[in-house]
Amino acid sequence: MHLKYESQLREPLVNGDKNYHQVTEDIVRPIEAKPTRLWYIGFYIAVALLLFGVYSIYRDVTYGIGQWNLNKTVGWGWDITNFVWWVGIGHAGTLISAILLLFRQGWRTGVNRAAEAMTIFAVMCAGQFPIWHMGRVWMAFFVLPYPNTRGPLWVNFNSPLLWDVFAISTYFTVSLLFWYSGLIPDMATVRDRAFTKLRKRLYGIASFGWNGSTKHWQRHESLSLVLAGLSTPLVLSVHTIVSFDFATSVIPGWHTTIFPPYFVAGAIFSGFAMVQTLLVIMRKVFEMEDYITIGHIEAMNKVIVLTGSIVGIAYLTELFMGWYSQNKYEGYTFWYSRAYLFSPYGWSYWGMMACNVLSPQIFWFRKMRRNLFVTFFMSIIVNIGMWFERFVIIVTSLYRDYLPSSWSVYYSPSIWEIGFYAGTFGLFFTCFFLFAKYFPVIAIAEIKYVLKTTGENYKNNMGSIEAEDLDKFVHDQQHHH
């Protein structure tokens, strides 16, 4: 009997009467089965979107950035909005896997694999935007600081855009290692069950000769902890550096010291919302309701209401500082360009407020936190709101600058900007569908690790042991050994 005790009041993390074999069967089944019709429909839609995105990029590279509706006032439009949005979505994965691992939170086990995969795909999508924004993309290697033959032409180390390059490439590397090192034991499980030579060969290569020995587990455990330790500061630093893209400039509306914590909270907020969107669908399609329980969804909704409220405080602080600073330019940006409903972009500010601050407050009610339909609907609303937040920050600060002669311009995206954005969705979902088909979407080894403490049938057995007299229990144990 595994005697690590957990209170009966805590809800089980694995429902149903499960043993180790049953866990493997349930999670590996979608990999071994033929893809369903639903999977094919979703996959082909994603690929079609991706191809539209590729064509949009082709237009941009061939004919120049003029294909987008950027103008002399709004130099960063949809492109950088989408970049910040995707980077934010990538944050929840590392938070779930790294910070919750260090805090030994048991409920991360059901959701961490999909969230980590989502992080990697979201960062891949985010990286596209600054690269293609360069216009002359064949000059992209100029951002790398390496000894060169260009004389004194070096990157500008004072520019937050360069720090972005370092932050995001580091983030991607560490997240990839973290995700893959967690996959190794599960790949070996799939390899051992493989029914064709090719599958056995491919999963064998992917699992790096894992054989489940104590030494392998020990190394796996210590590597996870080291990577979690490295990822934790990255969760905070990446979005901080993205916020520096704005905060280190002197443009009213951007020139704010509150940006780093407010961006990090916003990133975790939007990231958790995206995890909810994917998991609610995934648990239904793959019949994983026993592993991704209502308890998991409630825990994530608690994080959403917390980070949503932090973001709300940040918005109100900005408005207060716009008035309190008595700086007429700041005041104009916050109180006219943004908060005044009838200004050209006032609708986007109030859309953001409604989606990000007001709507998540519904999660104060337990019934709502545990309702799947409400969770799914809200997760989409939150991500629409977070997209608007980035749009508001970028466009409302730029479209009316110090030169009234350039004020008449109303920025709206061209079809190729929208196509590029749609294409990143295509890239994201193409990767996600492939991941869901060929890799275990839930960490098998981690579920087994918590099964005997938090599995429903084990907890029920614990109830009878709890009722036993202590002396009798000790006597039975000694007799048993």
Side-chain angles (χ1 to χ4, degrees), residues 54-294:
V54 169
Y55 181 69
S56 303
I57 291 173
Y58 160 77
R59 298 276 307 197
D60 159 45
V61 173
T62 311
Y63 300 107
I65 295 287
Q67 291 292 297
W68 297 349
N69 275 351
L70 299 177
N71 49 54
K72 63 183 176 183
T73 319
V74 182
W76 283 359
W78 261 50
D79 190 86
I80 300 297
T81 303
N82 299 334
F83 160 67
V84 181
W85 187 77
W86 274 118
V87 172
I89 279 183
H91 265 57
T94 324
L95 179 102
I96 289 173
S97 37
I99 295 183
L100 298 183
L101 173 79
L102 295 178
F103 283 122
R104 295 279 185 249
Q105 291 293 309
W107 64 268
R108 59 180 280 285
T109 49
V111 296
N112 66 343
R113 174 67 48 77
E116 287 168 34
M118 191 194 81
T119 295
I120 291 160
F121 306 146
V123 173
M124 279 161 56
C125 293
Q128 304 304 313
F129 289 99
I131 290 172
W132 301 107
H133 196 290
M134 291 177 185
R136 299 181 182 177
V137 74
W138 48 93
M139 300 291 195
F141 64 92
F142 273 41
V143 300
L144 304 173
Y146 63 95
N148 57 63
T149 53
R150 298 191 290 273
L153 187 62
W154 271 76
V155 289
N156 178 9
F157 286 106
N158 292 332
S159 166
L161 298 177
L162 181 71
W163 311 339
D164 250 355
V165 173
F166 300 149
I168 286 166
S169 51
T170 311
Y171 189 53
F172 179 72
T173 313
V174 174
S175 300
L176 190 65
L177 285 173
F178 206 22
W179 174 71
Y180 197 82
S181 63
L183 265 171
I184 291 175
D186 295 357
M187 296 288 225
T189 305
V190 181
R191 172 199 68 196
D192 295 342
R193 294 167 54 99
F195 40 79
T196 66
K197 263 197 167 144
L198 180 66
R199 279 178 82 92
K200 208 171 185 62
R201 189 80 197 276
L202 292 174
Y203 283 108
I205 293 167
S207 61
F208 290 141
W210 175 275
N211 63 15
S213 67
T214 314
K215 195 73 191 157
H216 282 185
W217 278 114
Q218 188 192 349
R219 286 182 176 149
H220 181 261
E221 194 82 357
S222 51
L223 176 68
S224 300
L225 280 173
V226 167
L227 286 173
L230 285 172
S231 308
T232 304
L234 276 176
V235 174
L236 304 172
S237 70
V238 172
H239 228 65
T240 299
I241 287 176
V242 170
S243 78
F244 286 168
D245 294 351
F246 306 104
T248 53
S249 68
V250 289
I251 291 172
W254 287 5
H255 186 55
T256 327
T257 46
I258 197 177
F259 265 28
Y262 145 44
F263 267 53
V264 171
I268 293 166
F269 183 50
S270 62
F272 267 88
M274 192 67 158
V275 173
Q276 295 282 48
T277 309
L278 293 174
L279 285 185
V280 169
I281 296 171
M282 204 172 76
R283 75 194 284 273
K284 186 88 192 96
V285 172
F286 289 156
E287 297 166 1
M288 297 282 188
E289 285 91 348
D290 287 341
Y291 300 101
I292 301 168
T293 63
I294 299 291

